[in-house]
Amino acid sequence: MAATSLLPKSISPFHTNPPSLPSTTKVSLLSPANQSPCSKRANLQTVHQKKKKNEWFDPFDDGPDPDLQWGTLFTDGKQDEDPRPPDNPDNPYGFLKFPKGYNVEIASLGLKIRGDVRRCCCIISGGVYENLLFFPAIQLIKDRYPGVQVDVVASPRGKQTYEMNKNVRWADAYDPDDDWPEPRVYTDMLGILKNRYYDMVLSTRLAGFGHAAFLFMTTAEFRASYIYPNVNAAGAGMLLSETFKPDTTNLSDGGFHMYNQMVDWLGRPSRSVPRQPLPPLKVSISKKIKEVVEAKYRNVGAEKGKYVVIHGIESDSQATMQSRGDTDSLLPLELWAKIIKGLRDVKPVFVIPNEKERENVEEIVGDYTRIVFITTPAQLAALINDSAGVIATNTAAIQLANAREIPSIGLFCSQEKAKLFVPDAEEKKCTIISSKTGKLIDIDVEAVKNAMQFSNVSLALV
């Protein structure tokens, strides 16, 4: 009986003889136990109305059992974050690094009944901008599943972003957007993910059958991913536990809330657990990176709190940190030279993504220009953190300034893009300047100068 107490109440021990029914009991042919599959499907119509059932799943699946009665073990509340015994390196059999609260004997019960997640892997598509916007979702996972270990798989450029995230245990460099990876690289990454025994794998790449098969072979219990909103998604739903269909084939078109469908699923309420709210975007900067960046801007003659970061110069470098949802987000140096003439109390510091741009800046803006060569988002965040403010186009610099609560001026190609990527701009101390023609190059330079004069007082006093 001790073994059966761990199971839900609906699973009773086997009886040698079936219990007899009282003579006064009337068995109705329309009772839940005797209902046909068609009637059950009609009773659960309200459940299916919330989200359309994936047509690639089992056509004979009628959904959750309405007569199922849950017990008290592993059913209510969040998972526990219990301390575990310390590792013993002197053990002749070695020592296993089980996550906190993980008991081998009953680990599958919490996973199956309550949906516990002890190890989670996030496969993030895109570059620095896309990975940076996924930070709130990672914090939501840590809050929703106490004690969970979060790992990330991202492109080599996107992996640099996780220098600013303390919630991530391991970050592996693997480009999920590569449609034809090398077989040795593909199988090696698949083996790494499989050997870590993840409970949940999330992917922000639009999945077809191929990427869905990759996630399926990780053997994770929960596999959730975005899928193509067209015929390319055929067959992907059979291999995934949960799917999200965006409005377009470019997920970044959603702007700051591009992951809202996945976030809504991750924070969904469950038994006695309310909906988990989405935390704001926050980044952390290590002391070592701050020291390296401080040496860089002091070498060019800038002082802490007395300079403004200029980011978003036109370049063919991959370190521009643009968003895939806004390709018109870089300004030529000729316009930047006109814009910085509006600065009075602070000095501009130009951030170049490639050393070959240094000569162009000195030639167009002037030899006296302060130039800092930065290619990683963590160093850019440290530079912004010590500045008086930021003037940038729609690059990661705007989001980093908002995350560190630094005043900023954002230059956008249109008002619609500004609302998408910087919602609640006033609360974030961000002044939005947008072009009236829909092209960033036609932005009103005088409007930018007026915005700088308006913010010069606050910038100078920071």
Side-chain angles (χ1 to χ4, degrees):
M1 296 300 294
T4 59
S5 62
L6 296 177
L7 299 174
K9 290 183 179 179
S10 62
I11 305 176
S12 58
F14 292 101
H15 299 281
T16 55
N17 296 320
S20 59
L21 293 174
S23 58
T24 58
T25 304
K26 296 182 179 180
V27 180
S28 174
L29 295 178
L30 297 179
S31 61
N34 297 320
Q35 285 182 354
S36 64
C38 295
S39 59
K40 277 189 178 182
R41 189 177 294 108
N43 292 339
L44 296 177
Q45 185 177 4
T46 56
V47 177
H48 291 282
Q49 284 178 351
K50 294 182 180 180
K51 182 177 180 179
K52 186 179 179 181
K53 184 178 177 181
N54 194 318
E55 61 272 12
W56 295 101
F57 284 162
D58 186 1
F60 301 101
D61 182 15
D62 296 319
D65 185 2
D67 301 325
L68 183 63
Q69 297 179 2
W70 293 97
T72 58
L73 187 64
F74 297 113
T75 57
D76 297 328
K78 297 182 180 180
Q79 62 190 38
D80 300 324
E81 188 178 1
D82 299 329
R84 61 184 174 88
D87 298 328
N88 182 13
D90 299 327
N91 190 338
Y93 301 101
F95 53 94
L96 300 178
K97 292 183 176 295
F98 289 111
K100 295 181 179 179
Y102 188 98
N103 294 323
V104 182
E105 297 80 7
I106 59 175
S108 59
L109 291 179
L111 177 67
K112 293 289 186 180
I113 299 175
R114 189 171 54 189
D116 291 358
V117 177
R118 299 295 175 181
R119 292 175 178 173
C120 176
C121 179
C122 304
I123 302 176
I124 313 301
S125 171
V128 170
Y129 206 114
E130 287 75 21
N131 282 267
L132 183 63
L133 294 185
F134 198 75
F135 277 27
I138 294 177
Q139 184 62 52
L140 185 147
I141 295 172
K142 296 287 290 187
D143 296 339
R144 177 61 180 82
Y145 303 101
V148 65
Q149 296 175 343
V150 180
D151 300 336
V152 167
V153 175
S155 63
R157 181 66 62 181
K159 177 188 174 182
Q160 299 175 343
T161 315
Y162 296 96
E163 290 181 313
M164 304 180 291
N165 196 320
K166 295 182 179 180
N167 292 324
V168 174
R169 179 181 60 161
W170 294 327
D172 296 292
Y174 175 81
D175 190 2
D177 299 316
D178 189 359
D179 293 329
W180 302 99
E182 291 288 337
R184 59 178 180 83
V185 177
Y186 182 89
T187 54
D188 178 65
M189 180 52 61
L190 185 61
I192 290 175
L193 299 183
K194 181 175 171 54
N195 290 337
R196 290 177 182 173
Y197 298 98
Y198 289 114
D199 298 325
M200 181 167 65
V201 174
L202 307 174
S203 176
T204 65
R205 179 193 166 169
L206 301 188
F209 185 81
H211 187 60
F214 178 83
L215 301 179
F216 181 81
M217 287 187 288
T218 62
T219 66
E221 178 69 19
F222 306 108
R223 302 173 302 277
S225 174
Y226 284 89
I227 61 175
Y228 283 101
N230 50 34
V231 71
N232 292 328
M238 294 188 296
L239 306 177
L240 299 173
S241 307
E242 188 71 19
T243 58
F244 315 104
K245 184 180 293 185
D247 297 330
T248 65
T249 56
N250 186 4
L251 188 61
S252 299
D253 289 338
F256 185 81
H257 298 294
M258 57 186 293
Y259 305 117
N260 59 344
Q261 291 176 304
M262 180 176 286
V263 166
D264 183 70
W265 179 76
L266 289 172
R268 66 194 183 281
S270 60
R271 290 178 295 274
S272 71
V273 178
R275 173 167 293 278
Q276 190 70 37
L278 181 67
L281 173 62
K282 297 293 181 182
V283 297
S284 58
I285 309 171
S286 67
K287 183 178 179 181
K288 182 177 181 180
I289 292 180
K290 288 182 178 180
E291 293 175 352
V292 171
V293 173
E294 183 177 1
K296 283 189 176 183
Y297 68 72
R298 287 190 179 277
N299 288 338
V300 298
E303 298 181 12
K304 183 176 181 179
K306 296 183 179 180
Y307 65 89
V308 172
V309 177
I310 305 296
H311 194 267
I313 66 173
E314 193 174 30
S315 175
D316 58 357
S317 173
Q318 294 184 355
T320 54
M321 306 185 196
Q322 292 177 272
S323 170
R324 290 181 174 180
D326 187 8
T327 55
D328 186 13
S329 58
L330 297 177
L331 274 179
L333 284 170
E334 290 78 8
L335 285 180
W336 281 118
K338 298 177 181 178
I339 290 174
I340 64 172
K341 293 180 180 179
L343 293 174
R344 294 292 181 269
D345 302 323
V346 289
K347 302 298 182 182
V349 172
F350 279 80
V351 178
I352 57 174
N354 197 307
E355 277 292 350
K356 67 180 183 180
E357 305 293 343
R358 183 182 297 273
E359 183 178 351
N360 297 332
V361 176
E362 293 176 349
E363 179 182 353
I364 297 174
V365 182
D367 297 335
Y368 56 87
T369 308
R370 296 166 177 82
I371 304 173
V372 176
F373 172 52
I374 286 180
T375 59
T376 64
Q379 292 191 15
L380 179 60
L383 183 68
I384 291 173
N385 188 63
D386 288 349
S387 69
V390 177
I391 305 175
T393 56
N394 187 18
T395 63
I398 287 293
Q399 304 298 341
L400 292 173
N402 296 337
R404 301 300 298 184
E405 299 181 354
I406 300 296
S408 60
I409 298 177
L411 312 181
F412 289 83
C413 62
S414 65
Q415 189 67 27
E416 291 74 17
K417 290 290 184 182
K419 292 180 180 179
L420 274 177
F421 286 91
V422 189
D424 303 325
E426 295 182 359
E427 298 179 4
K428 299 177 180 178
K429 303 179 183 179
C430 182
T431 304
I432 299 297
I433 306 296
S434 59
S435 174
K436 297 180 180 179
T437 63
K439 296 182 179 180
L440 185 61
I441 196 171
D442 297 330
I443 197 167
D444 189 357
V445 176
E446 294 300 324
V448 180
K449 290 182 179 180
N450 294 334
M452 286 190 294
Q453 292 174 2
F454 174 78
S455 59
N456 265 344
V457 178
S458 61
L459 293 180
L461 295 178
V462 171

